[in-house]
Amino acid sequence: MTFPQDNGQASIENLRKIAKAHGFLMRPQDELGYLAIVRAAQQSVEFVDRMSDFVDPRLTPDVMAPVSVTRTYTLPSPSENPINAWSHRTHIKAPHIRDGAGSLAGKTVAIKDNTSVAGVPMTVGTQPFHLCKDIPAPIPDIDAPIVSRILKAGAVITGTSTCENYCMSAMSCTSAIGPVDNPWLRGYSAGGSSSGSAALIAINVATKWRKSRGLPVEYLGEGVEFATGGDQGGSIRVPAAYCGIYGLKPTHGLVPYTGIASLVPMIDHCGPMASSVRDTALFLAVLGGYDGFDPRMTPETPLRTIVPQYHVLLDEQIASRTMAGSWTPTTAARGLRIGILMEAFAIAGLDMEVASIIRRAASRFATLGAAVAEVSVPLHLVAPHIFTAATRAYMADTFLYRQGSSTASSLSFPFPGGSAPTPDQAWYDRMTISNPLVVGGLLSSEFLRDRSIYAESVRDKAIRHVHELRAAYDKALQEFDVLIMPATPTVAPRHMPMDMGVGGKAEFLLANTLNTMPFNITGHPALVMPVGLGQVEDRDGGEKAKLPVGMQVVGRRWDEQTIFLAAAAWEVGGLGLDEEEDKREGYKE
């Protein structure tokens, strides 16, 4: 049997090279048989490649006419977008939902710019032509399931929010369109990578706060009531902490990640961002539940028909305690067991004032009637190493959409459309200036995947330690209902100086995730809420200023309800942003 050696077809020479690379030689009498097997597989692949693409009808947008007609978008002008929180502006409503219907009726929502909104460019925060060869940014044909759910709930999507470059920064200075300013203090970080989402909510929060105190109000652009965030190491929770809003990283697999740009499936989370505990609970009820696509979901993921109505349950819990006379500043948290995670106060760079504010928040729980005690999870301080060993080797597969990526193609519904161009010198130069974590991610992924250096068993061991870490938190959560800790080591810092070296930039962009990233690999739900205002130390001219401090509340997997109850009970003693007595602080004079 002979085979023509057409260009592109498998050949015996190809197979000999593959065999040699794997440490064996084919016997001559076997070669034609193996070639036939490989060519049969190649024929099937080429047949499918010639087929028309398929997009599941469940992901197609609900529109009355073609998306190009019904969904238009604009790039906001600088005057419309003074803090750079908007990526694109639009106005999208579900055509078959009557006005006033749905749990989000008429509410404004921003979608993080790493999520498919049919007809609207998706940049993932990076420069033009990084994600597509032929157009500046892909324009999806599909709506991510979370987008469809938001529209069916009656909301209005008013735009996509700026996110960090490839979503690989916990600060807000790497986006291709420039830094996102903190609405509380211009020139300071809004956190990342869901920087625009947090800032757009905080526009309303900060404006209301200032007006209530008779302080000057600066025009910051149009904000929103709700926003989606993505979180692979703290990217919902860090911006929530810096911007004084509420952000929840749900249990892994509760909210579908289909149609959203991935880093590594193990750590991919999408969740709600809002301006109150109840609104966060309401938004989670809209977003959550099985979608039929996402492999991150498990048998524990509730079907859409049985997703807990978290806001209704919270209302019922408050009503029950109110009727019993226990929803008071001395009894609202009665029956709750609050664990103060000791190791979370031992992380590098923790500011003493931030630590003090979180401990004061813990004391309030005791005043409210909760049982409060310290708890130790020694592995918490090792978690960043486990996180890196478990995820880094395969991260470039997904965030760069590399051809030949087994990780990206294993997702149950990969993004429709073509492949991204291969990184080149211009790509390297741009990324080294704006976000060296991206180049570092590519280089470390390629190096760590070299099996001559690190066998696959090394990553296998890291995954087993992920389970060990999860079990350690689970054990603590058998004794306590929630664990509390600082969300970030400091209040929001100034934006990163762009003339810093690669090492300095990389450290700056991720140093604030030591208490958030562990829960991405273990999958525990974690809410960040404002509990005070902390002093900004590096202001010019000695001016006083304070910025929000966020507390992270971590619960058992699939038990977001107890987190919401604990957070709501804490606020019976007063809102965190009202803790500051000096009404002249928290803004630039």
Side-chain angles (χ1 to χ4, degrees):
M1 181 183 296
T2 60
F3 294 89
Q5 301 296 308
D6 293 339
N7 187 34
Q9 279 204 318
S11 67
I12 288 177
E13 185 59 33
N14 296 145
L15 303 193
R16 287 172 179 166
K17 291 178 180 178
I18 294 170
K20 184 177 180 181
H22 284 80
F24 62 86
L25 298 174
M26 295 185 294
R27 294 182 301 180
Q29 63 268 35
D30 298 334
E31 288 181 336
L32 289 178
Y34 282 121
L35 182 60
I37 293 171
V38 173
R39 284 200 172 175
Q42 184 179 18
Q43 194 174 43
S44 295
V45 170
E46 292 176 350
F47 178 88
V48 171
D49 193 39
R50 292 191 297 270
M51 296 173 65
S52 299
D53 202 356
F54 169 76
V55 176
D56 194 291
R58 290 172 292 176
L59 298 176
T60 56
D62 180 14
V63 292
M64 302 288 287
V67 165
S68 59
V69 175
T70 58
R71 293 188 178 180
T72 59
Y73 62 88
T74 60
L75 290 171
S77 67
S79 62
E80 296 174 293
N81 199 23
I83 62 172
N84 217 28
W86 289 107
S87 177
H88 294 82
R89 296 305 309 270
T90 188
H91 187 89
I92 302 174
K93 298 172 63 177
H96 299 105
I97 304 295
R98 61 180 175 81
D99 289 344
S103 57
L104 295 179
K107 300 295 184 182
T108 54
V109 178
I111 305 295
K112 183 177 179 178
D113 188 16
N114 69 337
T115 302
S116 296
V117 181
V120 181
M122 184 181 72
T123 75
V124 194
T126 196
Q127 280 78 356
F129 299 102
H130 280 190
L131 303 181
C132 287
K133 298 176 183 178
D134 304 320
I135 57 175
I139 299 178
D141 296 321
I142 66 171
D143 279 343
I146 62 163
V147 171
S148 298
R149 293 173 182 183
I150 289 166
L151 293 173
K152 288 178 182 176
V156 181
I157 295 175
T158 55
T160 56
S161 58
T162 305
C163 65
E164 298 310 296
N165 214 304
Y166 285 100
C167 293
M168 291 187 68
S169 167
M171 296 294 184
S172 66
C173 53
T174 70
S175 173
I177 61 173
V180 177
D181 280 337
N182 192 312
W184 293 87
L185 194 59
R186 301 285 291 274
Y188 283 71
S189 180
S193 62
S194 306
S195 44
S197 289
L200 289 170
I201 294 169
I203 286 173
N204 296 338
V205 173
T207 299
K208 180 180 177 181
W209 189 92
R210 289 187 173 102
K211 284 182 176 179
S212 70
R213 289 157 174 76
L215 300 174
V217 175
E218 180 183 11
Y219 178 70
L220 300 171
E222 183 182 342
V224 294
E225 295 160 285
F226 298 87
T228 64
D231 194 314
Q232 286 106 346
S235 291
I236 289 173
R237 292 161 290 159
V238 170
Y242 283 177
C243 290
I245 68 163
Y246 301 75
L248 176 77
K249 182 200 77 64
T251 302
H252 189 250
L254 175 58
V255 175
Y257 208 83
T258 305
I260 305 175
S262 172
L263 285 183
V264 174
M266 174 192 291
I267 59 174
D268 291 337
H269 297 73
C270 175
M273 305 177 79
S275 60
S276 70
V277 174
R278 189 185 187 279
D279 276 355
T280 307
L282 165 62
F283 203 19
L284 180 61
V286 170
L287 299 176
Y290 184 67
D291 73 341
F293 297 105
D294 191 355
R296 302 167 187 82
M297 296 186 155
T298 75
E300 296 172 285
T301 303
L303 298 176
R304 282 289 290 160
T305 54
I306 57 172
V307 171
Q309 297 302 292
Y310 300 99
H311 57 300
V312 175
L313 294 173
L314 180 61
D315 290 344
E316 291 173 350
Q317 289 172 312
I318 293 173
S320 175
R321 291 178 178 231
T322 300
M323 287 186 64
S326 61
W327 196 247
T328 72
T330 58
T331 58
R334 182 178 292 169
L336 289 173
R337 301 167 301 165
I338 310 297
I340 305 171
L341 185 61
M342 294 169 58
E343 286 75 14
F345 291 83
I347 60 170
L350 180 62
D351 178 75
M352 290 182 61
E353 185 184 20
V354 169
S356 175
I357 289 170
I358 301 303
R359 290 196 178 277
R360 189 167 70 236
S363 297
R364 181 192 286 191
F365 270 120
T367 301
L368 288 157
V372 181
E374 291 188 329
V375 60
S376 176
V377 179
L379 271 179
H380 182 78
L381 293 175
V382 182
H385 295 300
I386 300 173
F387 179 101
T388 300
T391 63
R392 188 66 61 83
Y394 295 94
M395 194 171 284
D397 272 3
T398 46
F399 79 77
L400 288 178
Y401 303 105
R402 295 174 63 246
Q403 292 184 349
S405 162
S406 58
T407 307
S409 62
S410 69
L411 299 178
S412 60
F413 204 92
F415 280 97
S419 301
T422 302
D424 57 14
Q425 188 64 45
W427 176 90
Y428 165 84
D429 292 339
R430 285 191 291 265
M431 287 298 95
T432 295
I433 292 171
S434 60
N435 190 356
L437 291 177
V438 178
V439 179
L442 172 60
L443 296 176
S444 57
S445 288
E446 294 291 346
F447 179 78
L448 294 173
R449 284 193 347 184
D450 186 341
R451 292 182 180 176
S452 67
I453 301 173
Y454 295 106
E456 190 68 15
S457 60
V458 176
R459 183 174 181 271
D460 292 344
K461 183 177 182 181
I463 298 298
R464 291 193 292 274
H465 283 301
V466 168
H467 287 276
E468 180 187 21
L469 182 64
R470 176 189 286 185
Y473 293 130
D474 285 344
K475 182 178 179 181
L477 287 164
Q478 290 175 353
E479 183 179 355
F480 297 96
D481 295 308
V482 295
L483 306 177
I484 61 172
M485 65 204 75
T488 58
T490 68
V491 297
R494 284 186 184 274
H495 289 310
M496 174 182 73
M498 297 310 291
D499 59 355
M500 290 176 70
V502 166
K505 286 181 180 179
E507 182 179 1
F508 178 84
L509 295 174
L510 281 184
N512 53 358
T513 62
L514 295 175
N515 277 344
T516 54
M517 73 164 66
F519 304 104
N520 285 86
I521 52 175
T522 66
H524 290 86
L527 172 75
V528 164
M529 59 184 293
V531 293
L533 293 163
Q535 188 73 43
V536 175
E537 295 183 354
D538 60 346
R539 289 297 305 282
D540 294 330
E543 291 180 281
K544 283 186 174 183
K546 290 199 171 187
L547 287 172
V549 173
M551 176 172 69
Q552 183 170 225
V553 185
V554 177
R556 304 180 191 93
R557 295 171 66 250
W558 309 105
D559 189 17
E560 280 78 2
Q561 196 61 49
T562 298
I563 293 178
F564 291 135
L565 176 61
W570 188 89
E571 291 187 334
V572 171
L575 297 176
L577 295 176
D578 293 339
E579 287 289 283
E580 177 54 50
E581 295 180 358
D582 184 352
K583 296 184 180 182
R584 298 295 302 167
E585 299 194 65
Y587 74 101
K588 181 178 179 181
E589 301 206 35

